[in-house]
Amino acid sequence: LGLIATLATFGLLLIYIGLIVFFVWFSLSFAKMNLIGNSLKVSKDNFPEINKIYHEIRSELSYEKDIQIYIVEEGSVNAFLANFFKTKFIVLNSELVKDMIGSDNNRIQMKWIIARFIGALKTKHFRITFLRLIFEYVEKIKIFNFIILPYERATQYTGDNIGMLVTKNVEQSIVAFNKLLVGNDLSAKINFNGIINQGIEVDNNSFFSFLARAFSSHPHLVNRYINLLAYAKKEFPEQ
């Protein structure tokens, strides 16, 4: 009876996991169709300059899988990467794109944005996404988030660094990050000394800082900014 109960329980667990997988696949497929129907896909016909940057980065990082890039008219979105199963796409905000095409410096900024996403994928940083999704749906084992989320936060730092490594341009990488931080119009007004002071303030309140990021898959933007400066100092001291 104990064996039968064990097998039955395991069978139910497999069914439950199967339903989760189906729900995630269905939801993402639905969201992707909405994205395709309501946004503009970057291609050789639309925004060919961004398409060229994308292919340059894929070649430079030897990343063979295809990633689709979409531009949306949505003020609350800067840029994000979706990566579940075989579906990978980057979503860019129209205001972000508007200020990152044209001049050589703007091109470098866009290169940093795209390279940080592809770089994270290249280093297999999203390998545990499927497990995290299962954990999110199984409330009883949410404690595992304390193991997974710090790993995911670390991948964001590495993605930023890879973006700078690809562009080899400290100034424009920082400018691109500034635009993610406060938007195009205010990015030129940022003084990095002020951000460093914010980082110190966060460190001085380490307990509450820990609580603030404990359940987040992304580190504080201020910490990402300071990490990027530290990486620049190490890899590009002449700049």
Side-chain angles (χ1 to χ4, degrees):
L1 290 176
L3 179 60
I4 293 175
T6 301
L7 292 175
T9 301
F10 183 70
L12 290 173
L13 179 61
L14 290 179
I15 293 173
Y16 186 63
I17 292 175
L19 290 173
I20 292 173
V21 171
F22 173 78
F23 177 77
V24 172
W25 169 80
F26 183 87
S27 299
L28 188 70
S29 299
F30 181 78
K32 184 179 179 181
M33 286 303 103
N34 270 328
L35 184 65
I36 294 174
N38 294 297
S39 62
L40 188 67
K41 182 179 178 181
V42 171
S43 65
K44 63 180 181 180
D45 299 311
N46 285 311
F47 296 96
E49 56 272 65
I50 297 178
N51 190 56
K52 183 178 179 180
I53 291 172
Y54 158 67
H55 285 289
E56 287 176 358
I57 295 170
R58 280 185 64 192
S59 176
E60 189 169 341
L61 295 179
S62 300
Y63 187 80
E64 298 179 357
K65 296 180 180 179
D66 183 52
I67 304 174
Q68 298 172 4
I69 302 177
Y70 296 92
I71 299 174
V72 297
E73 177 62 33
E74 178 61 53
S76 62
V77 175
N78 272 326
F80 71 86
L81 169 71
N83 174 56
F84 300 112
F85 306 107
K86 294 184 179 180
T87 301
K88 298 177 179 64
F89 50 88
I90 296 171
V91 178
L92 302 175
N93 169 256
S94 58
E95 287 298 309
L96 188 70
V97 172
K98 181 179 70 174
D99 202 51
M100 287 191 181
I101 55 176
S103 71
D104 290 340
N105 285 340
N106 290 344
R107 189 179 191 277
I108 294 172
Q109 295 166 28
M110 177 57 68
K111 191 171 185 178
W112 179 82
I113 293 288
I114 297 175
R116 74 167 310 278
F117 291 132
I118 298 179
L121 288 171
K122 174 65 179 180
T123 52
K124 307 296 184 181
H125 279 160
F126 294 91
R127 187 178 292 168
I128 63 171
T129 298
F130 173 66
L131 290 177
R132 180 178 60 79
L133 286 170
I134 291 179
F135 292 158
E136 286 179 354
Y137 282 94
V138 185
E139 291 184 343
K140 292 183 179 179
I141 56 177
K142 269 195 171 182
I143 187 67
F144 283 99
N145 282 346
F146 284 104
I147 300 174
I148 295 173
L149 292 179
Y151 176 83
E152 292 195 351
R153 288 195 291 270
T155 68
Q156 301 302 315
Y157 292 123
T158 306
D160 293 339
N161 295 345
I162 291 175
M164 181 175 287
L165 188 63
V166 169
T167 65
K168 298 179 176 61
N169 190 307
V170 171
E171 180 182 3
Q172 296 308 316
S173 295
I174 295 297
V175 170
F177 194 97
N178 288 348
K179 292 177 180 179
L180 291 181
L181 189 62
V182 296
N184 296 336
D185 295 336
L186 299 177
S187 61
K189 299 182 180 298
I190 290 179
N191 185 306
F192 72 86
N193 287 315
I195 294 185
I196 291 175
N197 288 333
Q198 282 184 239
I200 294 172
E201 183 177 351
V202 170
D203 287 341
N204 288 339
N205 292 274
S206 56
F207 174 71
F208 291 103
S209 174
F210 166 77
L211 290 180
R213 66 175 183 267
F215 297 98
S216 174
S217 60
H218 286 67
H220 291 144
L221 285 171
V222 168
N223 288 342
R224 284 176 57 188
Y225 191 100
I226 294 174
N227 172 79
L228 197 58
L229 288 177
Y231 181 78
K233 182 178 180 181
K234 176 185 175 184
E235 295 294 329
F236 304 99
E238 72 283 357
Q239 293 189 46

